[in-house]
Amino acid sequence: MSDMAKNLILWVVIAVVLMSVFQGYSPSSSTKQKMDYSTFLDNVKDGQVNTATVKSDQRTIEGTTRTGEKFVTVMPLPDLDLINELNRKGITFKGEEAEESGFLTQIFISWFPMLLLIGVWIFFMRQMQGGGGKGAMSFGKSKAKLMSEDQIKTTFGDVAGCDEAKEDVKELVDYLKEPTKFQKLGGRIPTGVLLVGPPGTGKTLLAKAIAGESKVPFFTISGSDFVEMFVGVGASRVRDMFEQAKKSAPCIIFIDEIDAVGRQRGAGVGGGHDEREQTLNQMLVEMDGFEGNEGIIVIAATNRPDVLDAALLRPGRFDRQVVVGLPDVRGREQILKVHMRKVPLADGVKASVIARGTPGFSGADLANLVNEAALFAARNSRRVVGMEEFESAKDKIMMGAERRTMVMSEEEKEMTAYHEAGHAIVGCLVPEHDPVHKVTIIPRGRALGVTFFLPEADAISQSRRKLESQISVAYGGRIAEDLIYGSEKVSTGASQDIKYATSIARNMVTQWGFSEKLGPVLYAEDENEVFLGRSMGKSQHMSDDTARVIDTEVKLLIDANYGRAHTFLTENMDILHSMKDALMKYETIDSNQISDLMARREVRMPAEWEKDLESDDSDNNDTSSEKTEEIKEVKEDKPDVNDVDESPAK
């Protein structure tokens, strides 16, 4: 029976008792008129009383008047002369026993407020003791949701792209299925497993797969569910959660975003008496205290392991840290195949090609990519999802959504084209830089134009030459504007480029040891904030002279790469004009067209344009001559670097 049904029955019983009490107490007074004793004596003297009945308590008198009305009166004191007066007036009178129920009823009525108070107190106590935290007053009960073994359908087959992490946690499944195998050799399964990794890499999905494979009860809760405004509630919920888990052992407790409650104690300001720290202390005790928690495995997930308390990470609590990192190209291919099962695919879709073009994507990003591609196909009334939709979805995620409704003047459009062409040309000429994949002057996101570079492989580390090339490419857009329009008309469009280049140069000098004058020494400031918990102030790591040398080295590094980009663009001014013309005409150019421009060849038409022209030509065979002339006209209008005016910049 549910708690709501129990509460309803309780209130119905209280209502029935009240009705019976009042009905049993009020009948005598509802049909008889109450009369003062002095009025009764006057009526007796006037002969208005017909009959009278004296109760055995000699205080209560009931009777009727000559008119037939019933009355009741109470003598304030025993009156022995009343009998003689009734005889003189010829009034019929008799005696009766007093009703015992009236006395009991009066006792019950007098005690009823106290009984009602006790009943209300019992009701609220039952609410506070309601299991699972479902009662109205169950502040201290755990909010963990219990999922039985039949409810979890996720298995390791649904988790892709993290083979190493799956191998680390498969031991948990084996232990939960066959614990004696490990106990025979004196082995002890880890009490807790901490899943660490960037957002969207599948930490929660991996925990569900562990529960689905091991077929045990699965308690899931978020770290924020423990903390409330009332001190002590979080600790009570931790105790209740582990008590419930002990009843269902062997089982798994999954705490998502544990950094919400497991941050370092004594962080910055404040003492150790706040609600969060009490909750953390209780969790430490429950995981590894005097009482053992045999058969309970705690799995927690976070993307901020650096802020967790050291006592939480020690062996005996979270014995093992499993890193769920970003997938490599093979992992991305596997993840894409998992998500592509849910959508109808065209014949030419290859997950391997998409995986190579999405470096740095997490599992959530890839799921979003497949979903966006399906939305593009539905928007275009397609029945299947093809590579074109996947390419559009990838561009939207990487470069931002197109803002074709944004109105740009021809002058702003031309300046944007020169700016993006400067990035692309320098990117093609500097060593070890990622290849240019696509250049567009269609506003995307918050940018007026985007030059997108696609790595050929997943980058693990970067060389000094590649970092310097990135600085040169970052300044390519600003240098192009300066060469074409002069320093007086340079726009603010390079603000993010300058910030990015300066950040790389400063890290090269202060963190990565790429300065010959300063050497391989760490000069970076301590950037730990107060809430991370180590100190309120920042310690000084360098002298003023050293800071001055750092600024000088950063400036020299930027000037050198700025000058290199300036030289490349000055020597290839014809390509800069040609790429601007191509961008003004097509708005977006791909790697094939960029290769044509850099080789000073005739620029090919975009693949989409060629496809549209071919489809139009096949649909209109009767007007093939007219369509041929249109194609010829379009091709003749394509920019050719040989026809570019090589006059000096204005």
Side-chain angles (χ1 to χ4, degrees), residues 132-133 135 137-144 221-230 232-244 253 275 279 282-283 286:
M137 301 293 291
S138 57
F139 296 116
K141 295 300 176 182
S142 171
K143 292 186 177 182
I221 191 171
S222 172
S224 60
D225 288 335
F226 291 110
V227 182
E228 293 284 354
M229 64 178 292
F230 304 104
V233 172
S236 175
R237 288 178 177 174
V238 171
R239 286 191 296 269
D240 184 68
M241 180 181 68
F242 277 89
E243 287 176 4
Q244 294 181 41
I253 296 177
E275 166 66 359
T279 306
Q282 186 62 42
M283 186 175 296
E286 292 291 342

Side-chain angles (χ1 to χ4, degrees), residues 318-336:
F318 283 105
D319 308 85
R320 183 177 299 179
Q321 291 191 23
V322 178
V323 178
V324 187
L326 294 173
D328 56 11
V329 61
R330 183 170 171 271
R332 292 195 297 273
E333 181 181 352
Q334 295 173 353
I335 294 172
L336 284 170

Side-chain angles (χ1 to χ4, degrees), residues 322-451:
V322 178
V323 178
V324 187
L326 294 173
D328 56 11
V329 61
R330 183 170 171 271
R332 292 195 297 273
E333 181 181 352
Q334 295 173 353
I335 294 172
L336 284 170
K337 288 180 179 179
V338 170
H339 294 297
M340 284 179 176
R341 299 174 191 165
K342 306 174 185 177
V343 296
L345 300 177
D347 294 335
V349 175
K350 294 182 179 180
S352 59
V353 176
I354 302 173
R356 285 198 301 269
T358 53
F361 273 42
S362 65
D365 293 329
L366 294 172
N368 186 36
L369 173 67
V370 176
N371 182 63
E372 288 288 346
L375 295 179
F376 272 114
R379 198 176 304 157
N380 297 327
S381 302
R382 305 279 177 84
R383 294 186 177 181
V384 292
V385 184
M387 287 296 291
E388 183 179 348
E389 284 76 27
F390 280 106
E391 188 69 22
S392 300
K394 184 177 68 174
D395 291 344
K396 179 180 179 181
I397 294 172
M398 288 182 168
M399 299 187 290
E402 293 184 353
R403 293 189 296 166
R404 291 188 176 272
T405 57
M406 184 176 180
V407 179
M408 293 177 61
S409 64
E410 286 298 316
E411 183 180 356
E412 291 176 331
K413 200 173 181 181
E414 183 182 80
M415 181 176 288
T416 303
Y418 274 119
H419 183 101
E420 300 304 329
H423 286 308
I425 293 171
V426 178
C428 291
L429 296 176
V430 293
E432 296 188 15
H433 199 276
D434 296 330
V436 184
H437 177 65
K438 188 173 292 187
V439 182
T440 179
I441 58 172
I442 299 173
R444 285 181 175 270
R446 296 189 299 174
L448 298 179
V450 179
T451 302

Side-chain angles (χ1 to χ4, degrees), residues 299-311:
I299 302 176
T302 182
N303 51 20
R304 297 295 306 277
D306 55 313
V307 305
L308 296 180
D309 194 85

Side-chain angles (χ1 to χ4, degrees), residues 513-586:
F514 289 148
S515 171
E516 296 180 1
K517 182 177 290 189
L518 293 171
V521 180
L522 178 65
Y523 294 100
E525 292 286 344
D526 187 4
E527 297 178 354
N528 293 324
E529 300 294 340
V530 173
F531 71 90
L532 294 184
R534 299 177 182 90
S535 170
M536 279 203 63
K538 290 186 177 181
S539 57
Q540 185 71 20
H541 288 278
M542 68 186 74
S543 64
D544 293 339
D545 293 338
T546 303
R548 192 175 297 109
V549 174
I550 290 174
D551 294 338
T552 303
E553 288 291 296
V554 171
K555 184 68 166 57
L556 290 173
L557 192 59
I558 289 176
D559 289 345
N561 289 283
Y562 188 96
R564 178 172 62 168
H566 190 280
T567 301
F568 283 150
L569 291 177
T570 303
E571 293 175 351
N572 296 277
M573 187 67 69
D574 56 334
I575 300 179
L576 181 62
H577 290 299
S578 301
M579 194 172 293
K580 182 271 296 183
D581 293 336
L583 287 169
M584 291 293 290
K585 181 168 185 176
Y586 299 125

